[in-house]
Amino acid sequence: MSERRKEPQYCPRCGVAYEPLQEYCLECGERLPSNRGVAGVLAEAWQRRLPWYPGDWIWPALLFLAVALLATAAAVVAGSSGGRGTTIVAQPSVALGPGRPRTAVPTALPGTLPAAPRPTVTTGPLPKAPGAPSTAARTTPAPAGALTAWPAAGSGYTDVLESLSLSAGREAAASRARAAKLAGLPQAGVLVSSSYASLHPGYYVVFSGVYRTPAEAAAGLAAAHAGGFPDAYVARVTH
C-alpha cells in the first residue's frame, strides 16, 4: 500500500504551495514558517480554506480577544447579580441660566425608593451639625408680603425659580419673587449667588422654600411649575 501523500502547505504572503522542508517561498522569497506546533497546525488549516494568511501573530491576538470577551461577560453577569440595594443615579450637570452650572441632585430609579414625603417647610433657622454649640433662635415676624431671607448660617435645598444677571437690578428679581408669593409658592425670596459656594456667581437667584433634603425640595417643583415658573429646578445652597 502506497504511503498517503501529505497535503501541501501554502506561503503566508502569496499563497503558493511549498514543500515541508522548504525554507523560503520560491515565488515571493518570504521566509516560510518553521513552527510546527499548534500555530503551525492552525496555519495549515487556515491556508487550506483561504488563500491569504496574515501570519502566526493572528493566533495570540485572537486568544487575547476571546479572553477579554469572556472577562467582560463575567463582569456583566457579576454586576447584574449583585446586591439589591437602592440604586442612585446622579443627574447630569445642567445650566443655571446660559452657561451656568446647576447643582446635580441624586434621583432614584423608578421603583427603587418609596414615594417622596410631602414637603416640609422650615419656619426657623436650619439645624446645626451635631456637636455645634446651640444658640437660641431669635425670630421676628415678617410683615405681610415681605420676601423670605435665606438663613444666615444655614445650608439646605431650595427650588430655584429664576436667575437674573446682577446688571438687571435687585428690584427686578424682587418683583419676580413677589409674583411667586402671589402664586402661592412658599418662602419666596431673593439671594445673591456670589455669597454661596454652591451657586454660580454673578446672579440674583429667585427661590422658593428652604428644605433640609433634596426630596422635599423636589416635591415642591410641581407647584413652582404650575405657578408660572416652568424652568424651576432643585439646587443646594451652601455658604
Side-chain angles (χ1 to χ4, degrees), residues 112-177:
T112 59
L113 285 178
R118 299 184 63 182
T120 302
V121 180
T122 60
T123 57
L126 294 175
K128 294 188 176 181
S134 60
T135 57
R138 296 182 179 88
T139 57
T140 302
L147 299 180
T148 299
W150 191 265
S155 297
Y157 295 87
T158 191
D159 295 333
V160 173
L161 305 179
E162 284 187 7
S163 296
L164 286 74
S165 173
L166 293 178
S167 60
R170 183 180 181 86
E171 181 54 35
S175 175
R176 295 300 292 153

Coordinates of all heavy atoms in Angstrom, one line a residue, residues 112-177:
T112 N -37.3 52.0 43.0 CA -36.3 51.6 44.0 C -36.4 52.3 45.3 O -35.7 51.9 46.3 CB -34.9 51.9 43.4 OG1 -34.8 53.3 43.1 CG2 -34.6 51.1 42.1
L113 N -37.1 53.4 45.4 CA -37.3 54.2 46.6 C -38.8 54.4 46.8 O -39.6 54.5 45.9 CB -36.6 55.5 46.6 CG -35.0 55.5 46.7 CD1 -34.5 56.9 46.6 CD2 -34.6 54.9 48.0
P114 N -39.2 54.5 48.1 CA -40.6 54.8 48.3 C -40.9 56.3 47.8 O -40.0 57.1 47.6 CB -40.8 54.7 49.8 CG -39.4 54.9 50.3 CD -38.5 54.3 49.3
A115 N -42.2 56.6 47.7 CA -42.6 57.9 47.2 C -42.1 58.9 48.2 O -42.0 58.7 49.4 CB -44.1 58.0 47.1
A116 N -41.7 60.1 47.6 CA -41.1 61.2 48.4 C -42.2 61.7 49.4 O -43.4 61.8 49.0 CB -40.6 62.3 47.6
P117 N -41.9 62.0 50.6 CA -42.9 62.6 51.5 C -43.3 64.0 51.1 O -42.6 64.6 50.3 CB -42.1 62.7 52.9 CG -40.7 62.7 52.5 CD -40.5 62.0 51.2
R118 N -44.4 64.4 51.6 CA -44.9 65.8 51.3 C -43.9 66.8 51.8 O -43.2 66.6 52.8 CB -46.2 66.0 51.9 CG -47.3 65.0 51.4 CD -48.6 65.4 52.0 NE -49.1 66.7 51.6 CZ -50.2 67.3 51.9 NH1 -51.0 66.6 52.8 NH2 -50.5 68.5 51.5
P119 N -43.7 67.9 51.1 CA -42.6 68.9 51.5 C -42.9 69.4 52.9 O -44.1 69.7 53.2 CB -42.7 69.9 50.4 CG -44.1 69.8 49.9 CD -44.5 68.4 49.9
T120 N -41.8 69.6 53.6 CA -41.9 70.2 54.9 C -41.1 71.5 54.9 O -39.9 71.5 54.6 CB -41.3 69.3 56.0 OG1 -42.0 68.0 56.0 CG2 -41.4 69.9 57.4
V121 N -41.7 72.6 55.1 CA -41.1 73.9 55.0 C -40.7 74.3 56.5 O -41.5 74.3 57.4 CB -42.0 75.0 54.4 CG1 -41.4 76.3 54.4 CG2 -42.5 74.5 53.1
T122 N -39.4 74.7 56.6 CA -38.9 75.1 57.9 C -39.4 76.5 58.2 O -39.6 77.3 57.3 CB -37.4 75.1 57.9 OG1 -36.9 76.0 56.9 CG2 -36.8 73.7 57.6
T123 N -39.6 76.7 59.5 CA -40.1 78.1 59.9 C -39.1 78.8 60.8 O -39.4 79.9 61.3 CB -41.4 77.9 60.7 OG1 -41.2 77.0 61.9 CG2 -42.5 77.3 59.9
G124 N -37.9 78.2 60.9 CA -36.9 78.9 61.7 C -35.5 78.5 61.1 O -35.4 78.0 60.0
P125 N -34.4 78.8 61.8 CA -33.1 78.5 61.3 C -32.9 77.0 61.1 O -33.5 76.2 61.9 CB -32.2 79.1 62.4 CG -33.0 80.0 63.2 CD -34.4 79.5 63.1
L126 N -32.1 76.6 60.2 CA -31.8 75.2 59.9 C -31.0 74.7 61.1 O -30.2 75.4 61.7 CB -31.1 75.1 58.6 CG -31.9 75.5 57.3 CD1 -30.9 75.4 56.1 CD2 -33.1 74.6 57.2
P127 N -31.2 73.4 61.4 CA -30.4 72.8 62.5 C -28.9 72.7 62.2 O -28.5 72.6 61.1 CB -31.0 71.3 62.6 CG -31.5 71.1 61.2 CD -32.0 72.4 60.7
K128 N -28.1 72.9 63.3 CA -26.7 72.9 63.2 C -26.2 71.4 63.2 O -26.9 70.5 63.6 CB -26.0 73.7 64.3 CG -26.3 75.2 64.2 CD -25.5 75.9 65.2 CE -25.7 77.5 65.0 NZ -24.9 78.2 65.9
A129 N -25.0 71.2 62.8 CA -24.4 69.9 62.8 C -24.2 69.4 64.2 O -24.1 70.2 65.2 CB -23.0 69.9 62.1
P130 N -24.2 68.1 64.5 CA -24.1 67.5 65.8 C -22.8 68.0 66.5 O -21.7 68.0 65.8 CB -24.0 66.0 65.6 CG -24.7 65.8 64.3 CD -24.4 67.0 63.5
G131 N -22.8 68.4 67.7 CA -21.7 68.9 68.4 C -21.5 70.4 68.4 O -20.6 70.9 69.1
A132 N -22.2 71.1 67.5 CA -22.0 72.5 67.4 C -22.7 73.2 68.5 O -23.8 72.7 69.0 CB -22.6 73.0 66.0
P133 N -22.2 74.3 69.1 CA -22.9 74.9 70.2 C -24.2 75.5 69.8 O -24.4 76.0 68.7 CB -21.9 76.1 70.5 CG -21.1 76.3 69.3 CD -21.0 75.0 68.6
S134 N -25.2 75.2 70.6 CA -26.6 75.6 70.3 C -26.8 77.1 70.8 O -26.3 77.5 71.8 CB -27.5 74.7 71.0 OG -27.4 74.8 72.4
T135 N -27.6 77.8 70.0 CA -27.9 79.1 70.3 C -29.4 79.3 70.2 O -30.1 78.6 69.3 CB -27.3 80.1 69.3 OG1 -27.6 79.8 68.0 CG2 -25.8 80.1 69.5
A136 N -30.0 80.1 71.0 CA -31.5 80.3 71.0 C -31.9 81.0 69.7 O -31.2 82.0 69.3 CB -31.9 81.1 72.2
A137 N -32.9 80.5 69.0 CA -33.3 81.1 67.8 C -34.1 82.4 68.1 O -34.9 82.4 69.0 CB -34.2 80.2 67.0
R138 N -33.7 83.5 67.4 CA -34.4 84.8 67.6 C -35.1 85.1 66.3 O -34.4 85.4 65.3 CB -33.4 85.8 68.0 CG -32.7 85.6 69.3 CD -31.8 86.8 69.7 NE -31.1 86.6 70.9 CZ -30.0 85.9 71.1 NH1 -29.4 85.4 70.1 NH2 -29.4 85.8 72.3
T139 N -36.4 85.0 66.3 CA -37.1 85.3 65.0 C -38.0 86.4 65.3 O -38.6 86.6 66.3 CB -37.9 84.0 64.6 OG1 -38.8 83.7 65.7 CG2 -37.0 82.9 64.3
T140 N -38.2 87.3 64.3 CA -39.1 88.4 64.3 C -40.1 88.2 63.2 O -39.7 88.0 62.1 CB -38.3 89.7 64.1 OG1 -37.3 89.8 65.0 CG2 -39.3 90.9 64.1
P141 N -41.4 88.2 63.5 CA -42.4 88.0 62.5 C -42.2 89.0 61.3 O -42.0 90.2 61.5 CB -43.7 88.3 63.2 CG -43.4 88.1 64.7 CD -42.0 88.5 64.8
A142 N -42.2 88.5 60.1 CA -42.0 89.3 58.9 C -43.3 90.0 58.6 O -44.4 89.4 58.8 CB -41.5 88.5 57.8
P143 N -43.3 91.2 58.1 CA -44.5 91.9 57.7 C -45.1 91.2 56.5 O -44.5 90.5 55.8 CB -44.0 93.3 57.3 CG -42.6 93.2 57.0 CD -42.1 92.1 57.9
A144 N -46.4 91.3 56.4 CA -47.2 90.7 55.3 C -46.6 91.1 54.0 O -46.4 92.3 53.7 CB -48.7 91.0 55.4
G145 N -46.4 90.2 53.1 CA -45.8 90.5 51.7 C -44.3 90.6 51.7 O -43.8 90.8 50.6
A146 N -43.6 90.5 52.8 CA -42.2 90.6 52.8 C -41.6 89.3 52.2 O -42.1 88.2 52.4 CB -41.7 90.8 54.2
L147 N -40.4 89.4 51.6 CA -39.7 88.3 51.0 C -39.0 87.5 52.0 O -38.5 88.1 53.0 CB -38.8 88.8 49.8 CG -39.5 89.5 48.7 CD1 -38.5 89.9 47.6 CD2 -40.6 88.6 48.1
T148 N -38.7 86.3 51.8 CA -38.0 85.4 52.7 C -36.5 85.6 52.5 O -36.0 85.6 51.3 CB -38.4 83.9 52.5 OG1 -39.8 83.8 52.8 CG2 -37.6 83.0 53.4
A149 N -35.8 85.7 53.6 CA -34.3 85.8 53.5 C -33.7 84.4 53.8 O -34.2 83.7 54.7 CB -33.8 86.8 54.5
W150 N -32.7 84.0 53.1 CA -32.1 82.7 53.4 C -31.4 82.8 54.8 O -30.8 83.8 55.1 CB -31.1 82.4 52.3 CG -30.6 81.0 52.4 CD1 -29.5 80.5 53.1 CD2 -31.2 79.8 51.9 NE1 -29.4 79.2 53.0 CE2 -30.5 78.7 52.2 CE3 -32.4 79.6 51.1 CZ2 -30.8 77.4 51.9 CZ3 -32.7 78.3 50.8 CH2 -31.9 77.2 51.1
P151 N -31.6 81.7 55.6 CA -30.9 81.7 56.9 C -29.4 82.0 56.8 O -28.7 81.5 56.0 CB -31.1 80.2 57.4 CG -32.4 79.8 56.6 CD -32.3 80.4 55.3
A152 N -29.0 82.9 57.7 CA -27.7 83.5 57.7 C -26.6 82.4 57.7 O -25.6 82.5 57.0 CB -27.5 84.5 58.8
A153 N -26.7 81.4 58.5 CA -25.7 80.4 58.7 C -26.2 79.0 58.3 O -25.6 78.0 58.7 CB -25.2 80.3 60.1
G154 N -27.2 78.9 57.5 CA -27.8 77.7 57.1 C -27.5 77.2 55.7 O -27.3 78.0 54.8
S155 N -27.4 75.9 55.6 CA -27.3 75.3 54.3 C -28.5 74.3 54.1 O -29.0 73.7 55.0 CB -26.0 74.5 54.2 OG -24.9 75.3 54.3
G156 N -28.9 74.2 52.8 CA -30.0 73.3 52.6 C -30.3 73.3 51.1 O -29.5 73.5 50.3
Y157 N -31.6 73.0 50.8 CA -32.0 72.9 49.4 C -33.2 73.8 49.2 O -33.9 74.2 50.1 CB -32.4 71.4 49.1 CG -31.3 70.5 49.1 CD1 -31.0 69.9 50.3 CD2 -30.6 70.2 48.0 CE1 -29.9 69.0 50.4 CE2 -29.5 69.2 48.1 CZ -29.2 68.7 49.3 OH -28.2 67.8 49.3
T158 N -33.3 74.3 47.9 CA -34.4 75.2 47.6 C -34.8 74.9 46.1 O -34.1 74.2 45.4 CB -34.0 76.6 47.7 OG1 -35.2 77.5 47.6 CG2 -33.0 77.1 46.7
D159 N -36.0 75.5 45.7 CA -36.4 75.5 44.3 C -36.0 76.8 43.7 O -36.5 77.9 44.1 CB -37.9 75.3 44.3 CG -38.3 73.9 44.8 OD1 -37.5 73.0 44.7 OD2 -39.5 73.8 45.3
V160 N -35.1 76.8 42.8 CA -34.6 78.0 42.1 C -35.7 78.3 41.0 O -35.9 77.5 40.1 CB -33.2 77.8 41.5 CG1 -32.9 79.0 40.6 CG2 -32.2 77.7 42.6
L161 N -36.3 79.4 41.1 CA -37.4 79.8 40.1 C -36.8 80.5 38.9 O -37.1 80.1 37.8 CB -38.4 80.7 40.8 CG -39.0 80.1 42.1 CD1 -40.0 81.1 42.7 CD2 -39.7 78.8 41.9
E162 N -35.9 81.4 39.2 CA -35.3 82.2 38.0 C -33.9 82.7 38.5 O -33.7 82.8 39.7 CB -36.1 83.4 37.6 CG -37.4 83.0 36.8 CD -38.1 84.2 36.2 OE1 -37.5 85.3 36.4 OE2 -39.1 84.1 35.7
S163 N -33.0 83.0 37.5 CA -31.7 83.6 37.8 C -31.6 84.8 36.9 O -31.7 84.7 35.7 CB -30.6 82.6 37.6 OG -30.7 81.5 38.4
L164 N -31.4 86.0 37.5 CA -31.3 87.2 36.8 C -29.9 87.8 37.0 O -29.3 87.7 38.1 CB -32.3 88.3 37.2 CG -33.7 88.0 36.8 CD1 -34.4 86.9 37.5 CD2 -34.5 89.3 36.9
S165 N -29.3 88.3 35.9 CA -27.9 88.9 36.0 C -28.0 90.1 37.0 O -29.0 90.8 37.1 CB -27.5 89.4 34.6 OG -26.3 90.1 34.7
L166 N -26.9 90.3 37.7 CA -26.8 91.4 38.6 C -27.1 92.8 37.9 O -27.5 93.7 38.5 CB -25.4 91.5 39.3 CG -25.1 90.3 40.2 CD1 -23.7 90.4 40.8 CD2 -26.1 90.2 41.4
S167 N -26.8 92.8 36.6 CA -27.0 94.1 35.9 C -28.5 94.4 35.7 O -28.8 95.5 35.5 CB -26.3 94.0 34.5 OG -26.9 92.9 33.8
A168 N -29.3 93.4 35.9 CA -30.8 93.6 35.8 C -31.3 94.3 37.0 O -32.4 94.9 37.0 CB -31.5 92.3 35.6
G169 N -30.6 94.3 38.1 CA -31.0 95.0 39.3 C -31.8 94.1 40.3 O -32.5 93.2 39.8
R170 N -31.7 94.4 41.6 CA -32.3 93.6 42.6 C -33.9 93.7 42.5 O -34.6 92.8 42.8 CB -31.8 93.9 44.0 CG -32.4 93.0 45.1 CD -31.9 93.4 46.4 NE -32.6 92.5 47.4 CZ -32.1 91.3 47.8 NH1 -31.0 90.9 47.2 NH2 -32.7 90.6 48.7
E171 N -34.3 94.9 42.1 CA -35.8 95.1 42.1 C -36.5 94.2 41.1 O -37.6 93.8 41.4 CB -36.1 96.6 41.8 CG -37.5 97.0 41.8 CD -38.2 96.6 43.1 OE1 -37.6 96.7 44.2 OE2 -39.4 96.2 43.1
A172 N -35.8 93.9 40.0 CA -36.4 93.0 39.0 C -36.5 91.6 39.6 O -37.5 91.0 39.4 CB -35.5 93.0 37.7
A173 N -35.5 91.2 40.3 CA -35.6 89.9 41.0 C -36.6 89.9 42.1 O -37.4 88.9 42.2 CB -34.2 89.5 41.5
A174 N -36.7 91.0 42.9 CA -37.7 91.0 43.9 C -39.1 91.0 43.4 O -40.0 90.4 44.0 CB -37.5 92.3 44.8
S175 N -39.3 91.6 42.2 CA -40.6 91.6 41.6 C -41.0 90.2 41.2 O -42.2 89.8 41.4 CB -40.6 92.5 40.3 OG -41.8 92.5 39.6
R176 N -40.1 89.4 40.7 CA -40.4 88.0 40.4 C -40.7 87.2 41.6 O -41.5 86.3 41.6 CB -39.2 87.4 39.6 CG -39.0 88.1 38.2 CD -40.2 88.0 37.3 NE -40.5 86.6 37.0 CZ -41.7 86.1 36.6 NH1 -42.7 86.8 36.7 NH2 -41.8 84.8 36.3
A177 N -40.0 87.5 42.7 CA -40.2 86.8 44.0 C -41.6 87.1 44.5 O -42.3 86.2 45.0 CB -39.2 87.1 45.0

